[in-house]
Amino acid sequence: MNQSDMILIINDTILNFKKEIKQPVIMFIEQQRFSKLLDLMELKKHLHLTPCFVAEMKGGNIIYYCEEIIQKLINDFSKEKQKIFLEAITLHELFHIWNKIPINDAEEAIASELIVHEEIKKIYPKENKILNEFQQKINKLPKNH
Ligand SMILES: [Zn+2]
């Protein structure tokens, strides 16, 4: 899957999102910048396990994607599963946008993730399944990985 395939799937997911939100801008950036932005946002995540994230700007939301990281995460998936994965990670960010939960500390961050998980589980079961598989992969990694 190349970047233009990804953009098609992402845009499709945004346009078909079942909740009403102001349309976010999507941007693909290379890994070094992606990593710096993640640090700036103080998102303490595993870089190579973070395919995208949303940032709130004055003019609206931007969802940043890193193609390199996505490729590594999906390269052993079937074509169909790659597509669902991309839809799922996009839906995840769209629910963050819809929820508009301010995050000031780690506790609120965790709560915000749990809410998104519940929402996706309820409304998008197919995508939820693939996100759970992905989460299990992450959970199996050593703590300080
Ligand atoms: Zn999240």
Side-chain angles (χ1 to χ4, degrees):
M1 183 179 296
N2 59 34
Q3 202 186 100
S4 56
D5 292 330
M6 292 181 188
I7 291 172
L8 276 177
I9 295 168
I10 292 164
N11 280 330
D12 224 45
T13 307
I14 293 172
L15 291 171
N16 286 303
F17 187 49
K18 290 171 182 168
K19 303 281 183 188
E20 198 128 341
I21 54 165
K22 191 179 168 217
Q23 262 197 50
V25 170
I26 67 166
M27 275 184 84
F28 274 83
I29 51 178
E30 46 98 15
Q31 191 165 329
Q32 215 180 350
R33 259 185 83 201
F34 187 85
S35 169
K36 271 190 198 145
L37 279 175
L38 265 180
D39 289 342
L40 277 177
M41 295 190 61
E42 291 175 15
L43 292 175
K44 289 198 183 85
K45 282 181 172 172
H46 305 302
L47 177 65
H48 64 287
L49 294 171
T50 306
C52 60
F53 63 91
V54 63
E56 199 184 347
M57 307 284 174
K58 258 193 178 162
N61 289 289
I62 302 183
I63 308 177
Y64 291 101
Y65 293 83
C66 180
E67 186 188 353
E68 241 177 298
I69 296 171
I70 295 172
Q71 294 289 11
K72 277 182 203 147
L73 292 172
I74 66 176
N75 64 16
D76 60 338
F77 289 0
S78 69
K79 263 258 151 73
E80 178 61 17
K81 209 169 165 186
Q82 291 187 344
K83 182 170 177 272
I84 300 170
F85 182 76
L86 234 91
E87 288 167 353
I89 59 174
T90 301
L91 287 170
H92 181 100
E93 304 308 333
L94 293 177
F95 273 111
H96 275 307
I97 292 171
W98 190 66
N99 290 335
K100 283 193 200 130
I101 294 175
I103 293 165
N104 301 304
D105 54 40
E107 216 170 288
E108 286 177 1
I110 292 167
S112 151
E113 292 306 316
L114 288 176
I115 292 167
V116 168
H117 288 171
E118 281 308 309
E119 289 166 335
I120 293 181
K121 194 167 136 191
K122 224 194 254 169
I123 310 179
Y124 295 96
K126 192 173 61 173
E127 289 81 357
N128 180 57
K129 207 178 139 226
I130 203 161
L131 287 177
N132 283 343
E133 282 175 31
F134 181 58
Q135 191 59 46
Q136 276 163 14
K137 242 195 232 177
I138 295 176
N139 292 345
K140 277 187 199 138
L141 294 171
K143 277 262 151 60
N144 291 318
H145 190 79

